[in-house]
Amino acid sequence: MSVTAAIDVRGMTKRFGRLTAVDHIDLEVQAGEICGFLGPNGSGKTTFIRMLCGLLRADAGSGTCLGYDVIRESEQIKRRVGYMTQRFSFYEDLSIEENLDFVARMYAIPDRRNAVAASLERLGLAGRRSQLAGTLSGGWKQRLALAACMIHEPKLLLLDEPTAGVDPKARRDFWEEIHQLAAAGLTCLIATHYMDEAERCHRLAYIGYGKLLTQGTVSEVVAQANLTTWEVTGPRLMDLAQRLRSVPGVRQAVPFGNALHVSGDDAALLDRNTQPFRVAPYTWQSAESSLEDVFIHLMDPLSDNARA
Amino acid sequence: MARLAAMLVKEFTQMRRDRLTFGMMLGIPLMQLVLFGFVINADPKHLATGVVLADRGPQARTVLHAICNSGYFDFVRLLENEAEAEAVLLGGEVQFVVNIPANFSRDLLRGERPALLVEADATDPAATGNALNTLRVLAEKALEHDLKGPLAALGGSDGPIELRIHPRYNPEAITQYNIIPGLMGVILTMTMILITGLAITRERERGTMENLLSMPTRPLEVLIGKIIPYILIGYIQVAVILAAGYYLFGVPIAGSVSLLLIAAFVFIVANLAMGITFSTIARNQLQAMQMAFFVFLPSILLSGFMFPFRGMPVWAQYLGEILPLTHFLRLVRGIMLKGIGVTEVMQGLWPIGLFGVVALAIAAKRFRRTLD
């Protein structure tokens, strides 16, 4: 076990009735790392994050979070973790300042007044401090939420789809801030659906149906998938895609704009079986597998697993 | 037509999913049927009566039998003396005390028209009205059989005995004296249960609960933090009703105001705790409101606020005893009209306190720090 690991958990499991939402997930995130947490809707990302910060009791699993036992010392963990929920969860009928003040009191911050003032200043909302949080736009709500879960200077940020419904400019600013915080030593675990955001992370962990499917840096994840991808252009690509999908060796045929991405994990088989399709009017070009190709591929065999 | 069908199918499907609302639509009418059909009785009979029997002559016995046979009076206690009579009347143990004075039979036979003294707890004029009217008739007729032949003359034109009725605590039978203190209890019940019932479900509905729980708080801190502000609101209500009752309606305050405020505290907390318990069970604010209504209805009907408590069947009285409002009504009417003291207040206060503690324990158990 590394001494610098901010999150180091093994076998984390949570069941809701007969459904196993999180199934023996091991995760290690180093201090100062930004770890992207990916997976389709309902794959267990939120449940896993809630277990980390003590909102849910794990049915099985062990390990540490910021050096504290993830099962027994959730009170200690709560004090040192900033958790930003998927949905805006501050008080819409309180002003920006009142929300920050409430959070600061909750964490018993010694110099509360200054902490709130500094937070408002950083937010750039000092002038609108008495505006009700409910009247803020989506992007500002998200900034307020980030500021509020940073006010007690946590060592670890758990962000659950923080940029859902936020415009591109605000998203870019948000990531800028996350990278600055990480550079200062803060560890971040960010659940997201956006591929461009995934590529901004130091490391990725991908879960599906409650299981950890792959983890590593972006290039490691792509390499591990061992995927060969062809980019096809031409007319009526959807018809071609339909026919290709039944060809052995083709794991996916997905439209990307005006092109079709055809990939498979057995390069030789893919090459051989797609020969008949490489005729005019189509042009085939070898392409780099993108992160998205990899993720769609990861989901595919799993849907079979899930049915089995 | 197809669009109408689409709406209908959707509405019925949603109705079926929302079990609680569906249950309310069946439950409320059933509850009203039972309460109004079986429980409510504007002509209460079998009222608890104490007897001070200083004369055991046959005529005294005849009079007592007649009173008992009227069906309005149940003799539950034989009292030693006037002081004990005063105590049980004050404590609310009996509604009436019938006092047969010494030498009742002798004076009767001598034609001296002995007094039959009846003291009534008239805080609720509706509860005693019919019983007292019956008594007036009884006093004349009861001895008809005994006083025959030569004794018939004793009947006279005024009747053989003198009936002296002392309506205590509310001698002029002013309805407001009974209603206004009772209203304090009813208003507190309605607002306190509702206000906290919504408090936690609101946090859950708006998603703020998840955030709250991720912070280092304890369940009890959240619960108590939710209760204290509304205790203040409750006291404002008490003050308004008390002032209006005293200055506007002239309701007397016979007992100690501070004792009333202490009783109100326990009662407010018990209701707030009940509201919090509801909100930990309900999934949304609407359900919390519906659950509150399930308490309002019996509280108003079974507590003795609108209809005399002693007029209800015994099983309904037992149900009523569970409700905090029943006990609080006795306390607030007792303090304001009868001037009851600490001893009597404590007797009525502990069931309210117990109710509050149980409700709070359930709330704390259900409101766990974790979301699962």
Side-chain angles (χ1 to χ4, degrees):
Chain A
M1 192 197 293
S2 165
V3 282
T4 56
I7 302 173
D8 185 4
V9 292
R10 320 233 159 267
M12 296 299 280
T13 301
K14 181 74 201 176
R15 295 182 201 93
F16 295 110
R18 278 188 304 170
L19 174 82
T20 304
V22 173
D23 193 358
H24 294 92
I25 288 190
D26 303 340
L27 187 71
E28 193 178 324
V29 181
Q30 302 302 315
E33 242 179 9
I34 301 174
C35 178
F37 202 41
L38 296 110
N41 292 326
S43 56
K45 298 190 299 290
T46 300
T47 305
F48 181 78
I49 289 177
R50 284 179 176 175
M51 280 197 288
L52 275 187
C53 64
L55 275 176
L56 283 177
R57 223 172 285 134
D59 291 321
S62 62
T64 60
C65 189
L66 298 171
Y68 294 98
D69 189 289
V70 74
I71 307 293
R72 286 190 308 270
E73 295 178 296
S74 63
E75 286 302 313
Q76 295 296 326
I77 295 171
K78 274 185 186 178
R79 277 172 226 271
R80 290 163 179 83
V81 166
Y83 171 45
M84 188 169 152
T85 51
Q86 201 165 344
R87 187 175 147 194
F88 181 74
S89 60
F90 289 88
Y91 296 96
E92 303 211 333
D93 44 2
L94 291 189
S95 72
I96 295 163
E97 189 176 23
E98 285 160 349
N99 267 302
L100 291 172
D101 192 63
F102 173 71
V103 178
R105 275 180 196 272
M106 272 287 181
Y107 286 99
I109 292 168
D111 191 2
R112 200 178 78 240
R113 208 173 291 270
N114 275 333
V116 171
S119 178
L120 280 170
E121 203 60 50
R122 252 199 325 274
L123 256 175
L125 279 177
R128 292 202 283 169
R129 61 176 70 203
S130 43
Q131 189 179 334
L132 295 186
T135 63
L136 290 171
S137 69
W140 279 108
K141 274 184 182 168
Q142 179 245 26
R143 295 202 62 183
L144 169 62
L146 180 66
C149 68
M150 287 293 301
I151 205 162
H152 61 296
E153 296 176 356
K155 299 276 180 293
L156 169 67
L157 269 186
L158 301 172
L159 309 171
D160 194 358
E161 297 184 23
T163 56
V166 170
D167 69 54
K169 168 76 168 61
R171 263 173 65 191
R172 176 174 296 188
D173 294 346
F174 173 80
W175 276 92
E176 180 79 28
E177 192 161 0
I178 293 294
H179 271 278
Q180 275 174 10
L181 292 169
L186 188 76
T187 313
C188 299
L189 182 68
I190 306 184
T192 182
H193 284 300
Y194 299 111
M195 289 306 131
D196 61 316
E197 293 193 347
E199 284 166 355
R200 290 173 197 253
C201 296
H202 298 131
R203 274 165 59 82
L204 300 175
Y206 189 91
I207 71 170
Y209 300 103
K211 293 192 177 71
L212 185 69
L213 300 181
T214 184
Q215 61 172 322
T217 62
V218 175
S219 48
E220 279 168 9
V221 166
V222 173
Q224 277 163 20
N226 194 25
L227 213 58
T228 310
T229 300
W230 291 87
E231 194 178 89
V232 189
T233 49
R236 299 169 66 91
L237 286 171
M238 284 316 290
D239 293 344
L240 180 67
Q242 276 299 336
R243 280 182 282 142
L244 279 169
R245 276 176 195 145
S246 54
V247 173
V250 174
R251 301 306 299 259
Q252 52 172 314
V254 187
F256 270 79
N258 293 320
L260 189 69
H261 279 204
V262 182
S263 17
D265 44 10
D266 186 335
L269 186 70
L270 182 70
D271 193 41
R272 198 167 56 243
N273 287 350
T274 54
Q275 280 299 343
F277 297 94
R278 288 188 218 176
V279 289
Y282 302 110
T283 40
W284 288 63
Q285 266 184 318
S286 182
E288 285 275 306
S289 294
S290 70
L291 203 52
E292 185 156 343
D293 292 325
V294 171
F295 288 150
I296 294 171
H297 169 67
L298 280 170
M299 275 318 294
D300 200 31
L302 265 164
S303 48
D304 296 339
N305 292 351
R307 266 183 235 120
Chain B
M1 216 38 209
R3 289 188 297 266
L4 180 62
M7 279 305 289
L8 291 179
V9 169
K10 177 190 85 74
E11 287 301 319
F12 276 115
T13 309
Q14 287 179 320
M15 198 190 289
R16 211 180 52 218
R17 296 278 148 74
D18 190 356
R19 293 271 165 78
L20 198 67
T21 303
F22 196 67
M24 287 285 296
M25 285 193 261
L26 292 176
I28 289 283
L30 275 177
M31 203 163 168
Q32 282 179 327
L33 271 174
V34 170
L35 291 181
F36 282 102
F38 294 119
V39 174
I40 285 160
N41 177 8
D43 182 21
K45 295 189 172 170
H46 302 288
L47 299 166
T49 306
V51 182
V52 180
L53 198 56
D55 179 285
R56 295 186 183 245
Q59 283 78 14
R61 207 169 306 144
T62 307
V63 170
L64 284 183
H65 269 296
I67 293 174
C68 190
N69 286 342
S70 71
Y72 281 98
F73 305 89
D74 274 4
F75 296 137
V76 294
R77 280 281 297 266
L78 188 62
L79 304 162
E80 290 295 319
N81 49 39
E82 193 52 36
E84 200 186 352
E86 181 75 27
V88 289
L89 212 53
L90 196 65
E93 203 178 313
V94 297
Q95 188 88 31
F96 301 99
V97 171
V98 176
N99 196 337
I100 309 265
N103 306 325
F104 179 84
S105 301
R106 193 197 68 193
D107 291 353
L108 181 74
L109 295 177
R110 284 185 186 170
E112 288 175 1
R113 292 196 78 226
L116 176 66
L117 186 69
V118 176
E119 288 176 280
D121 175 352
T123 41
D124 183 0
T128 50
N130 283 351
L132 292 178
N133 288 338
T134 309
L135 209 56
R136 292 193 179 95
V137 181
L138 275 176
E140 288 173 21
K141 309 262 171 162
L143 291 164
E144 267 178 1
H145 283 284
D146 285 24
L147 306 179
K148 279 185 180 153
L151 295 174
L154 293 176
S157 54
D158 301 331
I161 49 178
E162 183 196 352
L163 180 66
R164 274 191 225 152
I165 295 173
H166 284 184
R168 304 283 302 273
Y169 315 124
N170 182 5
E172 289 156 83
I174 299 170
T175 315
Q176 278 88 338
Y177 283 14
N178 188 50
I179 292 290
I180 304 282
L183 206 54
M184 186 189 294
V186 170
I187 288 173
L188 286 176
T189 301
M190 299 238 257
T191 49
M192 295 296 111
I193 295 179
L194 203 56
I195 216 159
T196 46
L198 300 180
I200 285 183
T201 37
R202 192 192 301 125
E203 297 256 7
R204 200 171 299 154
E205 247 174 69
R206 295 188 184 171
T208 51
M209 184 57 88
E210 191 181 359
N211 204 347
L212 197 57
L213 293 176
S214 74
M215 295 188 224
T217 46
R218 289 170 203 290
L220 212 59
E221 287 168 353
V222 175
L223 292 183
I224 292 174
K226 288 263 174 202
I227 283 179
I228 289 175
Y230 301 118
I231 294 179
L232 285 176
I233 303 286
Y235 267 127
I236 293 173
Q237 292 182 333
V238 169
V240 169
I241 298 165
L242 213 52
Y246 189 74
Y247 293 108
L248 208 58
F249 298 101
V251 182
I253 303 177
S256 139
V257 172
S258 42
L259 204 54
L260 180 60
L261 294 182
I262 292 168
F265 178 81
V266 179
F267 181 63
I268 289 169
V269 171
N271 278 312
L272 291 175
M274 179 165 24
I276 293 248
T277 307
F278 287 168
S279 72
T280 60
I281 296 167
R283 262 172 296 149
N284 52 47
Q285 295 191 57
L286 180 70
Q287 289 193 346
M289 273 182 80
Q290 290 173 334
M291 291 169 93
F293 267 97
F294 259 117
V295 175
F296 292 165
L297 200 59
S299 280
I300 288 172
L301 298 177
L302 294 182
S303 64
F305 171 68
M306 285 185 84
F307 306 99
F309 188 79
R310 289 197 172 103
M312 306 189 303
V314 178
W315 62 266
Q317 292 193 18
Y318 278 121
L319 268 180
E321 295 282 357
I322 299 170
L323 300 165
L325 182 59
T326 308
H327 298 278
F328 185 69
L329 286 183
R330 290 179 195 152
L331 292 182
V332 67
R333 286 169 177 167
I335 292 170
M336 288 181 74
L337 302 179
K338 297 179 175 180
I340 57 173
V342 179
T343 330
E344 291 88 3
V345 169
M346 285 309 147
Q347 276 166 9
L349 204 54
W350 71 261
I352 305 177
L354 181 68
F355 188 96
V357 169
V358 171
L360 211 55
I362 296 173
K365 194 171 154 53
R366 288 199 55 94
F367 178 84
R368 279 170 301 179
R369 260 167 296 180
T370 45
L371 288 169
D372 55 0

